[in-house]
Amino acid sequence: MSNSIKFVVLVIEDEENIASFICKTLKLNGYKTITASAGREALSIIHSQCPDLILLDLGLPDMDGMEIIRQVREWSSTPIIVVSARIQEQEKVDALDAGADDYITKPFGTSELLARIRTSLRHSNRLNNHSNLYLRPYHSGKLTIDFEKRIVSLAGQQIHLTPVEFRIVAYLAQNSGKVVTYTSIMTQIWGPYSDKNNNKILRVNMANIRRKIEENPAEPEYLFTEVGIGYRMREDECKWGQGKC
Ligand code: CA
């Protein structure tokens, strides 16, 4: 860790004590940090210094954080984690649908923050390496998904899913560790013209999937509900570059 190149995290936050708490935590954990307390300053830093990850407060003095997400996504896939005191689910959903990778709600714990950062960096590394995520199986706990052979197994036993159930699980697994919104899943599975306001078909399929892959569907180990937002699948345990998968 000590002699590896440090990841650079841009912390966009106008509340000084929160920014300094986040920076201190990140530095202690081997990251380099840059801070910006306003939107325009942040955009100029993103262009000039290309950080590896962006932590973004949505409520900034000079512009709405949503606008930063939209502008950055026009040209960059740098992971963006929204840090927000706002509790409205709709804002989180809008931020995710505009291209944010994840969100964390204030107040949050250090370990939660670090876990979200690691997950987002891992995903962006896979994308940057042009590794074919879709051909390598997903492994987590007792669950394995072979995308190529379209086989899902739990503790070595093959699970029978319908084609739609498989597509949902595969999509969530390819985004494991990250929250995936209802809209994003509906669009991916049923197409851009699916009725996004009616996610009953998705909930029915999810209930069936959980019955098949969770030992106790009421206390899921693999497929978590993010109330009002979507689903998050347990992080894939394979690490790229370690030759284990
Ligand atoms: Ca703020």
Side-chain angles (χ1 to χ4, degrees):
M1 188 76 194
S2 60
N3 46 16
S4 59
I5 297 166
K6 288 182 175 182
F7 285 109
V8 177
V9 178
L10 171 62
V11 179
I12 309 174
E13 170 66 71
D14 60 326
E15 282 170 72
E16 218 173 297
N17 50 353
I18 296 176
S20 87
F21 163 74
I22 293 176
C23 288
K24 210 188 289 173
T25 304
L26 295 185
K27 280 179 194 150
L28 278 172
N29 286 278
Y31 295 96
K32 255 190 183 174
T33 60
I34 315 172
T35 53
S37 56
R40 274 173 233 299
E41 179 195 1
L43 284 170
S44 114
I45 291 173
I46 295 165
H47 277 280
S48 62
Q49 305 197 39
C50 299
D52 296 299
L53 184 135
I54 298 165
L55 283 177
L56 171 67
D57 173 25
L58 284 181
L60 295 168
D62 61 338
M63 66 165 80
D64 188 333
M66 286 293 298
E67 187 51 35
I68 297 186
I69 300 173
R70 286 190 204 100
Q71 290 199 26
V72 171
R73 278 295 169 267
E74 282 174 11
W75 62 279
S76 165
S77 62
T78 303
I80 300 174
I81 301 176
V82 166
V83 180
S84 178
R86 302 180 191 184
I87 50 165
Q88 279 100 340
E89 286 155 359
Q90 194 53 48
E91 279 171 327
K92 295 174 182 169
V93 170
D94 291 345
L96 293 165
D97 286 336
D101 293 79
D102 210 338
Y103 65 84
I104 186 164
T105 308
K106 295 177 202 168
F108 49 82
T110 305
S111 55
E112 191 187 358
L113 174 67
L114 293 170
R116 293 291 159 79
I117 291 176
R118 278 195 304 271
T119 299
S120 291
L121 286 172
R122 217 174 282 154
H123 279 272
S124 74
N125 276 347
R126 282 174 192 158
L127 296 176
N128 291 342
N129 292 342
H130 303 289
S131 311
N132 202 335
L133 183 61
Y134 302 91
L135 294 180
R136 177 184 62 70
Y138 163 98
H139 291 284
S140 194
K142 295 175 188 165
L143 185 66
T144 303
I145 301 168
D146 186 323
F147 300 111
E148 212 176 359
K149 296 185 184 136
R150 302 172 72 85
I151 293 173
V152 177
S153 34
L154 189 67
Q157 293 287 318
Q158 192 172 333
I159 306 279
H160 294 280
L161 297 179
T162 67
V164 165
E165 289 166 2
F166 178 81
R167 288 175 61 200
I168 295 171
V169 170
Y171 183 55
L172 290 171
Q174 283 154 4
N175 290 284
S176 73
K178 290 170 51 172
V179 62
V180 183
T181 63
Y182 299 121
T183 302
S184 161
I185 303 170
M186 298 285 293
T187 307
Q188 180 72 22
I189 309 300
W190 288 282
Y193 304 111
S194 58
D195 179 4
K196 308 297 185 313
N197 298 317
N198 180 5
N199 56 32
K200 183 161 178 262
I201 183 171
L202 174 58
R203 284 187 280 120
V204 168
N205 274 283
M206 286 301 290
N208 290 334
I209 294 167
R210 279 193 169 130
R211 248 197 313 276
K212 295 176 184 181
I213 70 170
E214 299 285 2
E215 274 171 32
N216 176 4
E219 284 179 42
E221 281 180 71
Y222 301 105
L223 289 167
F224 307 103
T225 299
E226 298 274 329
V227 178
I229 295 168
Y231 299 98
R232 187 191 297 270
M233 191 151 174
R234 179 165 145 178
E235 172 87 60
D236 184 345
E237 284 161 8
C238 288
K239 306 273 192 293
W240 275 109
Q242 296 184 0
K244 284 184 190 163
C245 314

